[in-house]
Amino acid sequence: MFVKQKNSYVVNEWKDTAPNRARVQAWGLEVYSGETEPGPDGLLYVKGYAPAPAEPTALERVQTQEAQTGLTRAVRELVLAENSGVSDYVKELAQELETWAAVLRE
């Protein structure tokens, strides 16, 4: 059974037992039978009330891009060097990532 917390949209899943039903009544909680959805924090919420995921930090964005593209700082230096022979597309990616990373190094 799902139990909705007081003054909140957080929902917990409890075993449907007599002691738990007694707790629901004693504590003034509500048995919830509607739809639920998981939140980014791992909790269950009443459908439509889960908080939005947090925006990634600048560091997380850089780390994700480095992992996806392989353009680590050392590789970016090689790519952005004069006469590197790398395509304009890769240079643009490296430059964008280097711009983000430079702000973090300041």
Side-chain angles (χ1 to χ4, degrees), residues 31-103:
V31 174
Y32 180 74
S33 59
E35 292 185 52
T36 62
E37 64 182 342
D41 52 6
L43 298 175
L44 275 180
Y45 290 86
V46 171
K47 184 147 180 92
Y49 290 95
E55 288 293 318
T57 65
L59 177 60
E60 290 169 335
R61 284 195 306 266
V62 168
Q63 289 172 336
T64 299
Q65 285 295 320
E66 284 180 342
Q68 288 176 347
T69 63
L71 292 170
T72 61
R73 184 174 182 184
V75 173
R76 288 193 305 270
E77 286 183 19
L78 294 171
V79 166
L80 296 173
E82 282 189 44
N83 301 320
S84 66
V86 178
S87 71
D88 289 340
Y89 173 75
V90 174
K91 282 184 182 179
E92 287 174 19
L93 282 176
Q95 185 58 58
E96 180 180 355
L97 188 50
E98 183 57 28
T99 302
W100 293 349
V103 171

